[in-house]
Structures are given as structure tokens and as C-alpha cells.
Amino acid sequence: QLRAAEAALALKQDLIDHLKAEAERQRAALETIPVLQAQADIYRADFEAERAAREQLHGQREALQEELNQLRLRLGGDGA
């Protein structure tokens, strides 16, 4: 009976050790979440800024293209 109790105690101690190690791994993982969230926020902001810049450049290009087309029409009309 004593040996059975000692064996059960050893099993419980192993379980406790395993759970402590798992809790420590989980705690370490939780510490990295804010860092990863901050990185994701920075990447998202950078992506959105680049998208806005591309859209603005596209709009400027379209306006310049329209202005060029108008100038060509005027030059073609004046030369004829």
C-alpha cells in the first residue's frame, strides 16, 4: 500500500512538473503577442500609406495625361 501511494505521489509530481512547464511556455507565448500585434499594426499602416500614395500618383498621372491630351488637341487645331 505504501509503494502504491509513493507511485501515485510520483505520478502526481510528474504531472505537476509538466503543468508548470506548460504554464511557463504559455506565459512566454503571451508575452510575444503584444510585440507581434504592434508589428502587424506597423505593417498595416505602412501598407495603407503606400496604397494611398499609389492612388494619389495614379490620379496625378491621369490628370497630367488629360492635360497632355488637351494640349495636343490645341496644338493640332492651331497648326491646321
Side-chain angles (χ1 to χ4, degrees):
Q1 191 177 16
L2 179 59
R3 287 183 192 193
E6 287 175 345
L9 184 60
L11 286 173
K12 288 191 185 275
Q13 187 60 47
D14 287 345
L15 179 61
I16 288 170
D17 292 343
H18 173 73
L19 291 174
K20 282 183 180 178
E22 181 62 26
E24 185 57 38
R25 283 192 295 273
Q26 295 293 330
R27 191 175 301 114
L30 282 175
E31 289 174 1
T32 62
I33 289 173
V35 174
L36 295 174
Q37 184 63 47
Q39 281 182 333
D41 291 343
I42 290 168
Y43 293 148
R44 182 183 304 112
D46 188 48
F47 174 79
E48 290 171 357
E50 286 181 15
R51 177 189 285 169
R54 279 192 310 273
E55 289 173 356
Q56 182 180 10
L57 287 173
H58 181 72
Q60 289 175 351
R61 181 186 177 281
E62 292 292 319
L64 288 171
Q65 185 65 46
E66 180 60 30
E67 186 178 344
L68 178 61
N69 291 341
Q70 292 298 323
L71 288 171
R72 283 182 175 161
L73 285 173
R74 284 188 8 206
L75 285 175
D78 290 344

